[in-house]
Amino acid sequence: MTIFLTLTSLMLLACAALLFWQVIEQRRMIGRMLASENISETARDPELILTLRVRDPIALAKRESRTGRVLADRLPVMARKMVYQEVMKELERELEEREIDVDMHIEYR
């Protein structure tokens, strides 16, 4: 029984050594690839940002509110701005109900 446990321990040790060697080789390969692409290893990962675009804010304003119907034809820029503000408020309410912490702002492009 002692011989069996010793042989099993030696086999597990050999497997662990092989896996450790593979990890070291992968790190070396990644380092060479980063060096060849001129990318530093300390570069930050890109930040993920969600962008929302209302496809037809004028039609939405006309459909959803009485003042939207009036403003959409006469002041389309203001109607668009109000639609985005209202969408942002509704999203913020929904996310607060689900206890999801977010930073929201409107970005003009």
Side-chain angles (χ1 to χ4, degrees):
M1 185 68 167
T2 305
I3 295 173
F4 174 72
L5 291 175
T6 304
L7 290 176
T8 304
S9 296
L10 289 174
M11 285 191 333
L12 289 174
L13 181 65
C15 289
L18 177 68
L19 291 174
F20 181 71
W21 176 75
Q22 285 180 340
V23 167
I24 290 173
E25 287 299 313
Q26 279 185 339
R27 285 186 181 171
R28 285 183 190 157
M29 184 176 63
I30 290 170
R32 283 188 299 244
M33 289 171 59
L34 290 174
S36 69
E37 296 291 326
N38 294 328
I39 301 172
S40 69
E41 290 185 36
T42 59
R44 287 185 21 193
D45 290 336
E47 186 175 301
L48 299 174
I49 297 176
L50 177 66
T51 303
L52 176 86
R53 180 173 171 255
V54 178
R55 289 196 179 148
D56 193 359
I58 302 298
L60 181 63
K62 287 180 179 180
R63 186 181 75 212
E64 294 293 324
S65 76
R66 189 175 293 163
T67 56
R69 287 184 209 112
V70 175
L71 287 178
D73 293 329
R74 294 185 181 95
L75 300 169
V77 175
M78 181 177 274
R80 248 185 237 114
K81 185 177 178 181
M82 290 173 64
V83 165
Y84 275 95
Q85 287 173 345
E86 191 61 34
V87 167
M88 193 166 111
K89 286 178 194 173
E90 288 183 23
L91 277 173
E92 199 167 23
R93 265 188 252 124
E94 179 67 29
L95 293 171
E96 280 179 5
E97 286 177 12
R98 298 183 65 193
E99 297 178 359
I100 299 173
D101 187 29
V102 296
D103 294 325
M104 293 179 61
H105 65 280
I106 296 176
E107 185 176 304
Y108 297 97
R109 294 183 184 181

